[in-house]
Amino acid sequence: MLTSPALQASQSGNPLNTATRFSASQGTPGQASFVGRTVTHLDRTSCTPEQDRQLVQLVNTAYGNERITSEEKSDPTPLYFCLVENGNFLSCAGYFRGDRTFVKGPALSETDCYITPFAALKGQGYGTALIKGMEQEAKQHGFTKLVFDVWNEAPVDMNPYYQKNGFEQGDTTPYVSQGKTHSMTRYTKNL
């Protein structure tokens, strides 16, 4: 059975556990350099108020609405991968062990790392840097696959983004919410 690295860190009194340091190239024109940025694990139930404030602000700004709050630290998950530079959060992704998700669609296993929410400001290269770091971190902690579900009615079509980052497109699952029919497309990447 997998144990979350963020839970281990919080139990040891270290809510923000520095993990992967980037030493990638200087990047391409229009994209950020990843040198010196770090992917970390954050447990919202034991992080500092400033860390939680930054995380909430980043997620809600990226989604354009109130997706998470400081009061409900476990909704939808308390565990996050974060891309950090000089103490500032550049992008983040909540994660679950696959067998503990609440999503519609095909069942996931305990070695699947299910990602939601995923937040990065558009056009800065921070999301791509986070994905690269998440791949390394998830693999080191026993996960064998990253899994995203893309809400197809979102204001921004994220399907090409995940394809560009090497994810394999899976099934599209329809569902009804508040009387309206929606669909989600699953993306996976073996680690």
Side-chain angles (χ1 to χ4, degrees):
M1 182 179 290
L2 294 174
T3 303
S4 162
L7 287 176
Q8 292 171 350
S10 68
Q11 291 169 349
S12 68
N14 181 9
L16 190 60
N17 175 14
T18 301
T20 301
R21 181 160 300 281
F22 287 94
S23 58
S25 69
Q26 294 301 311
T28 58
Q31 290 194 340
S33 166
F34 305 137
V35 175
R37 295 187 177 143
T38 307
V39 172
T40 64
H41 298 279
L42 178 80
D43 182 345
R44 291 188 66 206
T45 63
S46 59
C47 70
T48 69
E50 175 58 19
Q51 289 168 334
D52 193 59
R53 185 198 65 74
Q54 281 193 56
L55 185 77
V56 169
Q57 181 179 358
L58 178 62
V59 169
N60 292 342
T61 299
Y63 277 84
N65 61 31
E66 188 176 273
R67 171 87 170 160
I68 64 172
T69 68
S70 291
E71 293 76 31
E72 296 292 329
K73 295 187 186 305
S74 293
D75 184 17
T77 179
L79 305 176
Y80 283 78
F81 293 113
C82 301
L83 179 66
V84 179
E85 180 179 57
N86 298 323
N88 297 310
F89 290 27
L90 305 175
S91 58
C92 64
Y95 71 96
F96 295 85
R97 230 176 61 187
D99 62 338
R100 295 188 178 168
T101 63
F102 55 88
V103 297
K104 297 159 179 52
L108 300 172
S109 78
E110 73 174 22
T111 60
D112 293 337
C113 183
Y114 183 79
I115 305 295
T116 192
F118 181 82
L121 301 180
K122 187 176 178 179
Q124 302 295 313
Y126 300 149
T128 298
L130 179 61
I131 287 173
K132 289 177 183 175
M134 285 185 339
E135 289 171 7
Q136 295 170 7
E137 284 302 301
K139 189 174 184 177
Q140 288 177 355
H141 290 94
F143 291 109
T144 60
K145 186 186 300 181
L146 288 180
V147 180
F148 286 85
D149 282 331
V150 173
W151 181 49
N152 293 313
E153 290 75 27
V156 176
D157 182 5
M158 295 300 292
N159 291 288
Y161 177 80
Y162 292 113
Q163 292 168 353
K164 177 185 85 170
N165 280 288
F167 285 80
E168 184 177 316
Q169 183 175 342
D171 294 334
T172 296
T173 303
Y175 66 97
V176 176
S177 176
Q178 298 178 345
K180 294 182 182 179
T181 300
H182 303 279
S183 66
M184 292 191 314
T185 301
R186 176 145 303 164
Y187 285 88
T188 61
K189 189 172 196 177
N190 290 326
L191 302 174

